[in-house]
Amino acid sequence: NAGVTQTPKFRILKIGQSMTLQCAQDMNHNYMYWYRQDPGMGLKLIYYSVGAGITDKGEVPNGYNVSRSTTEDFPLRLELAAPSQTSVYFCASSRGGTGELFFGEGSRLTVL
Amino acid sequence: AQKVTQAQTEISVVEKEDVTLDCVYETRDTTYYLFWYKQPPSGELVFLIRRNSFDEQNEISGRYSWNFQKSTSSFNFTITASQVVDSAVYFCALRLDTGRRALTFGSGTRLQVQP
């Protein structure tokens, strides 16, 4: 069972570059989330989606964009990367808004 | 706005000791849910427990137990007879029943269990 799959696992970007973090889940969950984890800071919500075609901002959305064209996929786009976006990014999904989140393995992004 | 505080940044114990991880939350809502997640060294977060605001019964699952007290806005997590495999970062989280329905996480407590 794949669960939640994130790619890539590691990436180094130069300031000003753009990239997309991919996230796919095979559990038919309607809720999906993107969090970032900075050292000692816990997880901060970037964007979330309650179903295909519906997305909304979280606590720290600036510098990011998302789309949800299918139930399975929830890509996170970074435009004009900045050093402040150096972090570990986690995608998660849940059935409804139960809060029992299933997480991907994370994507470690470094912006130099 | 809701908030979760885990004041203990890092705890180190010796195997077989009991350890309690503290979690204090803030919300004005009457309906909410509290969670604990474990993040082992591999990095992936794993769900441990969910508790709703109307159920203050303590819960025990093997060596794990949780103490929910609305009077002090706390949801503490105790590991009995700790083992090296319990070494991880543990996060407490809060979800309201309105609005985003997304989790607000505490900053985490790193537990190191020494053999």
Side-chain angles (χ1 to χ4, degrees):
Chain A
N1 292 332
V4 178
T5 303
Q6 289 183 235
T7 56
K9 288 188 171 46
F10 302 93
R11 182 74 185 266
I12 298 175
L13 281 182
K14 294 183 179 178
I15 295 172
Q17 287 185 322
S18 300
M19 75 159 298
T20 299
L21 298 176
Q22 302 291 343
C23 176
Q25 53 93 7
D26 62 359
M27 297 172 282
N28 201 33
H29 286 168
N30 50 341
Y31 278 64
M32 294 188 75
Y33 309 84
W34 275 105
Y35 285 89
R36 58 177 286 173
Q37 182 180 21
D38 300 322
M41 298 296 290
L43 285 81
K44 300 290 186 188
L45 181 67
I46 306 171
Y47 270 95
Y48 70 105
S49 168
V50 301
I54 306 170
T55 63
D56 206 349
K57 297 178 181 179
E59 303 169 71
V60 291
N62 292 345
Y64 307 94
N65 272 302
V66 293
S67 59
R68 183 95 182 271
S69 57
T70 67
T71 300
E72 294 78 21
D73 300 298
F74 191 40
L76 177 71
R77 177 84 177 159
L78 282 74
E79 305 281 2
L80 300 175
S84 60
Q85 292 178 304
T86 293
S87 189
V88 180
Y89 292 84
F90 286 96
C91 179
S93 71
S94 71
R95 187 178 305 282
T98 61
E100 184 178 347
L101 270 57
F102 292 78
F103 282 86
E105 294 180 340
S107 299
R108 185 176 295 275
L109 176 67
T110 302
V111 182
L112 300 174
Chain B
Q2 64 268 28
K3 184 179 178 183
V4 177
T5 301
Q6 295 179 254
Q8 304 153 306
T9 305
E10 190 159 345
I11 301 174
S12 183
V13 299
V14 177
E15 212 170 15
K16 297 184 184 176
E17 283 186 20
D18 298 347
V19 58
T20 296
L21 309 181
D22 298 333
C23 173
V24 174
Y25 62 93
E26 295 175 31
T27 179
R28 293 181 180 176
D29 285 31
T30 56
T31 303
Y32 52 88
Y33 300 83
L34 296 163
F35 302 82
W36 277 94
Y37 280 80
K38 175 182 180 179
Q39 186 178 39
S42 60
E44 194 167 339
L45 285 98
V46 178
F47 167 83
L48 294 178
I49 190 171
R50 179 181 66 184
R51 175 68 62 193
N52 74 58
S53 55
F54 298 107
D55 183 1
E56 287 193 71
Q57 276 193 335
N58 292 334
E59 180 153 344
I60 298 175
S61 177
R63 297 184 297 106
Y64 294 172
S65 62
W66 291 269
N67 180 255
F68 175 29
Q69 292 194 341
K70 284 177 81 169
S71 60
T72 56
S73 297
S74 64
F75 186 44
N76 296 338
F77 173 29
T78 297
I79 301 175
T80 303
S82 60
Q83 299 177 1
V84 172
V85 292
D86 295 328
S87 296
V89 180
Y90 291 87
F91 291 96
C92 181
L94 168 70
R95 179 179 84 74
L96 304 183
D97 206 31
T98 56
R100 287 195 191 123
R101 295 192 173 186
L103 270 61
T104 296
F105 284 85
S107 55
T109 297
R110 180 177 299 277
L111 174 64
Q112 195 79 3
V113 181
Q114 308 288 348

